[in-house]
Each structure stands twice: as structure tokens, then as C-alpha cells.
């Protein structure tokens, strides 16, 4: 018997972008990263989401936010890997 444990639940977050109310469906771990990235950029969450919305190439804003988070994490890992390689030389 295989038991599947639900690891994360998608939640809806209400956001107003340029006066337009919209909802974003994200797993809590993605939402936490969106908040962290906004703070890192010294932006409000609303402004950060609006900037992603303005440049997105995917069909949905929720998907664009997930891709933005994953790209940021990938770039962070690549940067740390490169720094370790330089330090090891």
C-alpha cells in the first residue's frame, strides 16, 4: 500500500495591482519566497508582483511567480557554486 502525504496545499492570496483586484494561487513556500524577494529588492509585495506581472511571458501570474522564484533560487545556487570553485583554486 502506498500512502501519499499531502506536502503542501495551494492557497489563494488577494492582491491589488494598479487598482485591479486579483488572486494568486500559490503554495505557502512560494509565497514566502515572493515576500523574501520583495524585501530583498526593497519593494512592497504588491510592487514586486506588479513587476513580475509586467514582464511575464507565461499565461498566468501564479505560474510567472513560481518561475521567478525558481530562477532566483537557481541563480543563487549557481553563484554559490561558482564562488566555491574560485575559492578552491
Amino acid at each position: 500500500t502506498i500512502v501519499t502525504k499531502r506536502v503542501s496545499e495551494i492557497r489563494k492570496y488577494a492582491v491589488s495591482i494598479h487598482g485591479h483586484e486579483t488572486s494568486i494561487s500559490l503554495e505557502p513556500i512560494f509565497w514566502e519566497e515572493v515576500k523574501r524577494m520583495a524585501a530583498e529588492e526593497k519593494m512592497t509585495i504588491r510592487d514586486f508582483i506588479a513587476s513580475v506581472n509586467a514582464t511575464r511571458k507565461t499565461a498566468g501570474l501564479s505560474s510567472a511567480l513560481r518561475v521567478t522564484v525558481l530562477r532566483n533560487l537557481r541563480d543563487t545556487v549557481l553563484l554559490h557554486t561558482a564562488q566555491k570553485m574560485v575559492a578552491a583554486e
Side-chain angles (χ1 to χ4, degrees):
T1 303
I2 297 175
V3 177
T4 307
K5 182 179 178 184
R6 192 172 195 164
V7 176
S8 66
E9 185 176 311
I10 294 178
R11 296 189 183 149
K12 288 199 176 231
Y13 302 91
V15 181
S16 176
I17 301 174
H18 304 298
H20 175 71
E21 283 291 324
T22 189
S23 66
I24 300 164
S25 299
L26 290 174
E27 297 79 0
I29 195 166
F30 279 100
W31 182 249
E32 290 302 316
E33 280 301 302
V34 166
K35 292 191 311 186
R36 185 194 62 75
M37 290 172 66
E40 190 174 273
E41 295 293 323
K42 297 181 180 13
M43 299 172 79
T44 65
I45 296 169
R46 177 185 298 149
D47 288 343
F48 180 80
I49 291 170
S51 73
V52 170
N53 188 50
T55 59
R56 69 182 160 118
K57 296 180 176 123
T58 58
L61 180 54
S62 297
S63 294
L65 288 165
R66 284 188 190 92
V67 169
T68 299
V69 166
L70 288 172
R71 283 185 177 148
N72 179 266
L73 293 173
R74 178 200 60 197
D75 292 349
T76 300
V77 168
L78 291 174
L79 176 63
H80 287 300
T81 301
Q83 289 172 340
K84 284 182 182 180
M85 290 175 69
V86 169
E89 293 177 356

